[in-house]
Amino acid sequence: MSQPDFLYELFEDFMNDPANEDFSMDNGLVCRWLTGQAKISPKISSYYSKSGNQKKLAETIHQNLLPLIPDCNMAMQDIYTLFMQDDTISDAKKKNLASLYKPASSRLLFLAKLISFGMERQFVKRDTRNQKLIAGGALSPIVLDYIMDSEVPKPCRHFLGRDKELEELHAMLEENLHVFLYGIAGIGKSELAKAYAKQYKKHYTNILYVEYTGDLHQDITDMDFIDDPPEISEQERFQRHNRFLRSLKSDTLLIIDNFNVTATQDNFLSVVLKYRCQILFTTRSNLNEYCTFQLKEINDINTLFQLTSIFYSDADKHRSTVEKIIETVHYHTFAVELAAKLLENGISTPNQLLAKLQEERASLDNEDKIRIIKDGQSSKATYYSHIHTLFSLYALSQKQQDIMCNLCFLPSTGISARIFAKWLELPTLNEINDLIETGFVQTTTRHTISLHPMIQEIALSETKPSVNICHILLDSLQKICLMHGIEVDYYKKLFQTIGNIIELIEKDDMPKYLLFLENVFPYMDNYNYQKGMREIIQELKNLLKHKDIGTDSDRALLLDFQATLEIKPEKAIKLEKDAIALIKEITEENAHLASNLHSNLGGLYRMNGYPDLAREHMEKGLFLLEQYNLLYTHDGIPQFTNYAMFLAEQQAPEKGISVLQKLSKGIKEYNSDCCLDYATVQESLATIYLMTANLPKAKTHFKRACKIYEKIWADEPEMIKAKYQEIQELYPQIGFSI
């Protein structure tokens, strides 16, 4: 099983606790825990520090894991030996835990307590092989511990009937470095690629897997390398990844799944094809200028009958009718699977289903297979008709239709079912589980859900998702983006979902949709997710060029967003000035925006060496906050801290300290002295005291800030560590040794 699946089995009680409903086993993070690159989440370790939960853990190990281990006693003995031989563990602790090992009845409790103890020990990061130390040669370095989240998903358990194709594909990859496996949707291209990786894994040093999301350049940028510094830009990140992938040899296989575009639609393809490793693309596009392997229907009816029997328990009783159904859907693998599940659910008898499919087939102008070429992709109209018919026969409840409507936006890589249910405010996973049983919703593991591409296209046309219909989803995503200072570990999937919403949703409530985009942009900026930021800017440009859409405030925000991504200082300054000019009259509704625009312009002037203009606009921004009683809102905090730092730079540190002390007092009164805003102000005060060589005061305020960071980021030890590092680096920058 995969690493996240293993931890789901081990920590089942923790995952089922309602208090942890939004906890996600992110694949990259799990890999870091298991390779010793990151400390396991304190949420998990604190949960199992309680004696009652350790007993639960022992029972869970007994139920979930022991049946999977061929020799439990040997495994337990090895763990006990490792524990007793570890000279960093005190004799008292060894004596305490070893007493549970001897009686067989408490041996699992020994293991549970040992796991809990291991998680709570002081964390020491494992020293991995640095890529720079790997000696050159004919073979690629082993990268499984180096590139996270790149493991090939397992093929479905029912994969069958493709032995000949697997052999042919292997022969083709032996002769050609790059192969495009193409065919119509639902024919099993992705499953064949996964099965190939499983069957031939011993032929390769590494097999890497990338799910294509529409932009190869971005997909390579988004790969999770263990030594990526968190602060590097997207461009630097891409360069590091691209350079490393170029160094891999032909003993590495890279699978790029669902590359459903033409060569000209993704101009980065030519760069990837210069890699020296083997690359297997799965695609609906017939890229005949390259080496291609066409995957066709399984023409052996016995194999497809066997597939039907897996999902439909009464297949043998109705063999002749089932075989006619297989013929009627033209041996299309996905259609056969859906038909079998429909029959198993008792929605239709085999004869009724056959009649319905034959009636639909006869209604087509051409009952033979109709080929359609759209954007270079091959499909067959009859297949879509069959899937459409099977989809409509289910007569989904209104609730299930609503869920399918929102599922259309999920990234092809899928997302945690629990997180998706939370976005839709579903009390349970029952409705989603029912849709999984129908075959409409795919599960890569028991915890990650996605839509089959054919089902996504049909669900889009059937349910017609719009801003009004999907308002619960949009409100939930917007709420996450407005949670100031709170980060989510699934942010890439969150942003990919938002990207799909921009591309696919019907905009039937324009003010609500514009507000959604405007609230999402700053959150993307927090993660420097430039792809999404550019998409939002382009969408706003397209919409706001129509005079009847949006307000002056919307157009001013668009200019402000453009300034955020603008590299040339002069152009960024002009964009901010143009944005301010659009706010003709300042009112309660736009005061916050006007204040932000002045503050941003002041920041640009400060960075580019215009102190007088910087002061003028920063003070104008703060004046507007005071005038409209907005002083202690979250968005006002950066304006105050930037202004105070500016004063310190301009040889007026006392004024800067005074501004921050007043702000600190206000936050404490209006909010709390345990929030991130308060910590930010304390850190800024400490920095100014450090600049004035007042080390005791600097230390006091840094301690106050860190105490809050440690409390709020208790589940994010990496963030706490990064913050300590940032503070430590300030001392030598300003001229002090620490």
Side-chain angles (χ1 to χ4, degrees), residues 409 467 473-474 477 496-507 513 516 539:
F409 303 125
V467 172
L473 175 66
L474 267 64
L477 301 184
Q496 285 167 359
T497 303
I498 290 166
N500 289 340
I501 288 171
I502 292 170
E503 182 186 347
L504 302 171
I505 204 163
E506 185 186 324
K507 289 88 180 178
Y513 181 61
F516 172 74
E539 179 77 342

Side-chain angles (χ1 to χ4, degrees), residues 27 50 81 84 133 136 153 165 214 223 283 295 310 321 335 419 434 483 511 530-531 534-535 609 614 649 675 711:
N27 201 19
K50 301 179 181 72
T81 305
M84 295 305 288
L133 301 178
E165 286 89 341
M223 288 177 82
T283 176
L295 190 63
I310 291 165
T321 311
I419 287 169
D434 287 346
M483 290 193 302
Q530 293 191 9
K531 177 179 184 278
R534 286 192 293 269
E535 284 172 354
E649 289 166 6
C675 62
K711 186 175 180 181

Side-chain angles (χ1 to χ4, degrees), residues 2-128:
S2 69
Q3 291 178 337
D5 259 9
F6 172 74
L7 289 196
Y8 267 104
E9 295 288 352
L10 181 62
F11 298 139
E12 185 179 59
D13 305 299
F14 168 81
M15 294 303 294
N16 289 340
D17 191 308
N20 307 315
E21 63 178 12
D22 59 348
F23 192 90
S24 172
M25 289 284 187
D26 176 70
N27 201 19
L29 193 56
V30 167
C31 193
R32 284 188 169 84
W33 295 344
L34 294 183
T35 55
Q37 293 305 301
K39 182 177 174 63
I40 200 161
S41 169
K43 262 192 179 177
I44 297 176
S45 53
S46 62
Y47 178 86
Y48 287 108
S49 64
K50 301 179 181 72
S51 177
N53 290 341
Q54 289 169 0
K55 287 176 182 170
K56 282 186 191 174
L57 178 59
E59 185 57 36
T60 302
I61 292 169
H62 182 259
Q63 288 176 358
N64 295 0
L65 295 185
L66 288 198
L68 306 176
I69 303 173
D71 191 342
C72 307
N73 292 329
M74 191 66 198
M76 196 72 79
Q77 188 179 317
D78 284 345
I79 292 168
Y80 176 74
T81 305
L82 280 168
F83 168 64
M84 295 305 288
Q85 290 179 352
D86 189 335
D87 57 11
T88 65
I89 300 172
S90 69
D91 289 338
K93 189 69 186 175
K94 285 180 181 175
K95 188 176 178 183
N96 177 269
L97 283 184
S99 65
L100 293 170
Y101 178 77
K102 298 299 179 190
S105 58
S106 62
R107 197 160 284 178
L108 286 177
L109 185 59
F110 157 78
L111 182 55
K113 285 182 176 289
L114 182 59
I115 290 170
S116 174
F117 166 66
M119 290 192 291
E120 295 209 304
R121 295 185 80 191
Q122 183 183 354
F123 175 69
V124 180
K125 188 173 179 178
R126 177 178 158 228
D127 183 18
T128 64

Side-chain angles (χ1 to χ4, degrees), residues 573-590:
I573 287 169
K574 183 181 184 309
L575 285 164
E576 291 291 3
K577 287 167 79 173
D578 290 346
I580 290 169
L582 280 172
I583 309 293
K584 305 282 193 300
E585 184 186 345
I586 296 173
T587 63
E588 277 191 21
E589 284 73 34
N590 65 22

Side-chain angles (χ1 to χ4, degrees), residues 661-707:
Q661 284 173 335
K662 183 182 172 187
L663 176 63
S664 186
K665 190 178 175 186
I667 294 171
K668 192 173 178 178
E669 285 175 13
Y670 284 89
N671 191 346
S672 148
D673 60 355
C674 290
C675 62
L676 274 175
D677 288 339
Y678 191 79
T680 302
V681 176
Q682 293 302 310
E683 192 180 338
S684 298
L685 271 167
T687 305
I688 294 177
Y689 276 122
L690 191 59
M691 290 163 72
T692 58
N694 190 335
L695 294 183
K697 283 271 180 97
K699 192 174 177 182
T700 300
H701 288 285
F702 275 136
K703 278 188 171 180
R704 280 184 196 163
C706 287
K707 195 174 178 183

